[in-house]
Amino acid sequence: MGVTVKDLKEHLNYIQVTGDELSLQREIVVADTNRPGLELTGYYLHSQRERIVILGNKEMGYIQGMSHEAQYTSFEYLTQDETPCIIITHGAQCPDLLREIAQRKKFPVLCTKEETYRVVIDAVTFLDEKMAPMTSLHGVLVQIYGKGVLLTGESGMGKSEIALELIKKGHLLIADDRVDCFLIHQEIIGQSPEVLKEMLEIRGVGIINVSKMFGISSVLDKTKIDLNIHLEPWQVEKDYDRVGIEKKKFKDILGVSIPKLELPVKEGRSMAAIIESAVTNYLLSSMGQDSAKEFEERILRYIEMNKNGGNES
């Protein structure tokens, strides 16, 4: 079972007016809403019946001027099996005929005192998150200088130990070992599975509760993933990028390309400090300040200067 009317009702504290407990198990399959202006006039072509129906002040005002027969026809249409529920906003009373039809069909009508625009935003936001495409990755997710950084690499690379050092420096932990990734509005949002939330596994020590050890401000529920730093064992024969002008690399997560850096792990290297520097450089690059490009331009000017006999002009 996916997202149900009950999930929506309980999350947003709506009041149930009609329908029974079983009616709340209706599944919501579309993360969108419908304000049925045309349906109330009797035009049903192209209507998307799988959407949640929202009746705001305009719709309720129009309903009051409708005949009994027109109301009956519209309410019968709006309470079909494909429609998850109807939400009435601004604390308005459910029309008597709609209540009668909904009770007979065991159809859920919900009410709230919230304004219509707020109901639409809250409902769509909740459904977007709950119905978003999802995948799980092995790694550690931390937030450094406000940016979500996904640390990946083979087991034993010290990802959790690096995360611990970053936390001690004031950065935030989101997830250790398993990162649940969701595609929301073309962004990848990462969070920890509930059972692993706030926990960090340190070899030789065991499981530690980061929020209790370093304070609740040391953890975060979720974050956008902005950068992937992949840790790999140092290989003497490998030619690592020392300047930063090589072709940029990306990690694909649910169809979204995340900038990727490959960092070799070697004894004696302060990986936490290196990762902080990598994130700072990423922030500068995103603001148009590319250190590698600046260095390349310096080299080109130096070469040109030598060609001119040492005079830079």
Side-chain angles (χ1 to χ4, degrees), residues 35-285:
R35 297 191 64 180
L38 290 175
E39 287 90 338
L40 293 175
T41 68
Y43 183 83
Y44 305 125
L45 192 62
H46 307 304
S47 179
Q48 293 186 304
R49 293 177 293 183
E50 297 83 5
R51 295 184 180 184
I52 294 170
V53 171
I54 294 182
L55 300 179
N57 280 343
K58 291 181 180 179
E59 291 80 12
M60 296 300 288
Y62 186 85
I63 288 170
Q64 291 176 4
M66 295 172 63
S67 66
H68 183 276
E69 291 75 15
Q71 284 191 27
Y72 184 88
T73 301
S74 294
F75 293 156
E76 279 285 347
Y77 180 84
L78 293 176
T79 55
Q80 295 186 70
D81 291 339
E82 296 91 337
T83 304
C85 65
I86 293 175
I87 302 174
I88 300 175
T89 67
H90 288 277
Q93 295 294 315
C94 178
D96 292 337
L97 186 54
L98 174 57
R99 182 191 298 268
E100 177 185 324
I101 293 173
Q103 288 286 35
R104 169 170 54 83
K105 300 170 94 172
K106 292 184 172 57
F107 181 92
V109 174
L110 310 176
C111 283
T112 176
K113 293 182 180 179
E114 294 287 342
E115 297 182 30
T116 306
Y117 84 92
R118 174 53 57 191
V119 173
V120 172
I121 293 173
D122 290 346
V124 171
T125 300
F126 172 74
L127 294 174
D128 268 343
E129 292 184 0
K130 287 294 184 179
M131 301 171 68
M134 177 264 190
T135 188
S136 293
L137 300 175
H138 175 68
V140 176
L141 182 58
V142 290
Q143 191 181 83
I144 303 174
Y145 303 134
K147 296 297 181 181
V149 180
L150 176 66
L151 304 178
T152 58
E154 300 175 1
S155 296
M157 293 307 302
K159 297 185 293 296
S160 298
E161 288 79 2
I162 293 171
L164 180 60
E165 287 297 318
L166 290 167
I167 293 166
K168 290 169 67 177
K169 286 171 171 283
H171 305 295
L172 307 179
L173 173 72
I174 292 89
D176 178 47
D177 190 50
R178 195 186 101 182
V179 182
D180 290 343
C181 302
F182 300 85
L183 175 61
I184 302 176
H185 303 309
Q186 296 307 306
E187 294 181 342
I188 301 299
I189 306 299
Q191 65 181 45
S192 171
E194 192 66 31
V195 69
L196 300 177
K197 190 171 292 186
E198 303 178 358
M199 299 297 180
L200 192 64
E201 180 188 0
I202 304 297
R203 284 181 170 83
V205 176
I207 303 295
I208 65 173
N209 188 312
V210 173
S211 64
K212 291 182 179 179
M213 185 171 290
F214 299 99
I216 193 65
S217 61
S218 62
V219 296
L220 199 61
D221 283 341
K222 62 182 70 173
T223 188
K224 175 189 172 186
I225 299 179
D226 298 287
L227 179 65
N228 170 221
I229 295 182
H230 185 75
L231 305 176
E232 59 180 41
W234 184 287
Q235 302 175 45
V236 178
E237 68 279 3
K238 184 170 181 178
D239 185 20
Y240 292 104
D241 184 8
R242 300 177 61 181
V243 180
I245 59 176
E246 293 187 1
K247 184 179 179 180
K248 304 299 182 182
K249 297 181 180 180
F250 297 90
K251 180 177 181 63
D252 183 276
I253 305 178
L254 295 171
V256 177
S257 295
I258 306 296
K260 178 180 179 179
L261 294 177
E262 294 179 347
L263 293 183
V265 177
K266 184 181 181 182
E267 185 177 355
R269 300 188 89 197
S270 176
M271 295 308 301
I274 292 172
I275 288 172
E276 280 185 321
S277 300
V279 175
T280 302
N281 195 53
Y282 168 78
L283 287 169
L284 289 171
S285 296

